[in-house]
Amino acid sequence: MEHPADLQPIVVYMIERHPLDIPHLGPVFRWLHADNDFYRELEALIGPFDPEDLTLLIDKHPAGPAWRQLLQALMEERVRMVITHLAPLSAAQRQQLIGVCAQTGAQLITPGDAGRSSQQELPPAPDS
């Protein structure tokens, strides 16, 4: 199978224009601003990271070529972390992404995870 363009182990998947966006109001699901403070916003979601380990994939609409590239790289276990907003995805895409990440061991980070890192240790359980 042909490899898509080399992806780094951390992938940010964004959708440029969601079908529910209202043109004069701008994007409804804007969660990272690729043109301003992108790395600072991303660091707030996932913690410190090396920008060299990052690939940004953007589709104009849901389930475009970048989506297929992401899924292929996940199935080939070349991605260890996916950062995306689940709301613009269809229900089937959300389930597919959650399932593929679980199957391959890739960590899925969404804006709802803001500030939480699964690498943080949980506090010890109180003695009973």
PDB file of all heavy atoms in Angstrom, residues 122-128:
ATOM      1  N   LEU A 122      -2.998   9.991  38.248  1.00  0.00           N
ATOM      2  CA  LEU A 122      -4.151  10.200  39.111  1.00  0.00           C
ATOM      3  C   LEU A 122      -3.683  10.201  40.565  1.00  0.00           C
ATOM      4  O   LEU A 122      -2.719   9.512  40.914  1.00  0.00           O
ATOM      5  CB  LEU A 122      -5.158   9.069  38.911  1.00  0.00           C
ATOM      6  CG  LEU A 122      -5.802   8.997  37.535  1.00  0.00           C
ATOM      7  CD1 LEU A 122      -6.671   7.749  37.442  1.00  0.00           C
ATOM      8  CD2 LEU A 122      -6.622  10.228  37.257  1.00  0.00           C
ATOM      9  N   PRO A 123      -4.352  10.968  41.422  1.00  0.00           N
ATOM     10  CA  PRO A 123      -3.970  10.970  42.830  1.00  0.00           C
ATOM     11  C   PRO A 123      -4.217   9.577  43.431  1.00  0.00           C
ATOM     12  O   PRO A 123      -5.091   8.847  42.966  1.00  0.00           O
ATOM     13  CB  PRO A 123      -4.893  12.014  43.459  1.00  0.00           C
ATOM     14  CG  PRO A 123      -6.006  12.207  42.492  1.00  0.00           C
ATOM     15  CD  PRO A 123      -5.486  11.817  41.143  1.00  0.00           C
ATOM     16  N   PRO A 124      -3.443   9.200  44.429  1.00  0.00           N
ATOM     17  CA  PRO A 124      -3.649   7.884  45.034  1.00  0.00           C
ATOM     18  C   PRO A 124      -5.029   7.770  45.657  1.00  0.00           C
ATOM     19  O   PRO A 124      -5.581   8.743  46.150  1.00  0.00           O
ATOM     20  CB  PRO A 124      -2.554   7.793  46.102  1.00  0.00           C
ATOM     21  CG  PRO A 124      -2.069   9.188  46.300  1.00  0.00           C
ATOM     22  CD  PRO A 124      -2.413   9.976  45.067  1.00  0.00           C
ATOM     23  N   ALA A 125      -5.585   6.587  45.621  1.00  0.00           N
ATOM     24  CA  ALA A 125      -6.888   6.335  46.221  1.00  0.00           C
ATOM     25  C   ALA A 125      -6.786   6.457  47.734  1.00  0.00           C
ATOM     26  O   ALA A 125      -5.794   6.027  48.328  1.00  0.00           O
ATOM     27  CB  ALA A 125      -7.402   4.967  45.825  1.00  0.00           C
ATOM     28  N   PRO A 126      -7.801   7.034  48.363  1.00  0.00           N
ATOM     29  CA  PRO A 126      -7.767   7.139  49.830  1.00  0.00           C
ATOM     30  C   PRO A 126      -7.828   5.743  50.452  1.00  0.00           C
ATOM     31  O   PRO A 126      -8.438   4.834  49.910  1.00  0.00           O
ATOM     32  CB  PRO A 126      -9.009   7.959  50.189  1.00  0.00           C
ATOM     33  CG  PRO A 126      -9.881   7.913  48.976  1.00  0.00           C
ATOM     34  CD  PRO A 126      -9.008   7.593  47.794  1.00  0.00           C
ATOM     35  N   ASP A 127      -7.158   5.614  51.593  1.00  0.00           N
ATOM     36  CA  ASP A 127      -7.179   4.328  52.300  1.00  0.00           C
ATOM     37  C   ASP A 127      -8.581   4.063  52.835  1.00  0.00           C
ATOM     38  O   ASP A 127      -9.239   4.935  53.372  1.00  0.00           O
ATOM     39  CB  ASP A 127      -6.196   4.330  53.473  1.00  0.00           C
ATOM     40  CG  ASP A 127      -4.763   4.373  52.977  1.00  0.00           C
ATOM     41  OD1 ASP A 127      -4.542   4.061  51.786  1.00  0.00           O
ATOM     42  OD2 ASP A 127      -3.868   4.719  53.768  1.00  0.00           O
ATOM     43  N   SER A 128      -9.025   2.849  52.685  1.00  0.00           N
ATOM     44  CA  SER A 128     -10.372   2.498  53.170  1.00  0.00           C
ATOM     45  C   SER A 128     -10.288   1.767  54.474  1.00  0.00           C
ATOM     46  O   SER A 128      -9.441   1.051  54.769  1.00  0.00           O
ATOM     47  CB  SER A 128     -11.090   1.607  52.162  1.00  0.00           C
ATOM     48  OG  SER A 128     -11.209   2.294  50.949  1.00  0.00           O
TER      49      SER A 128
END
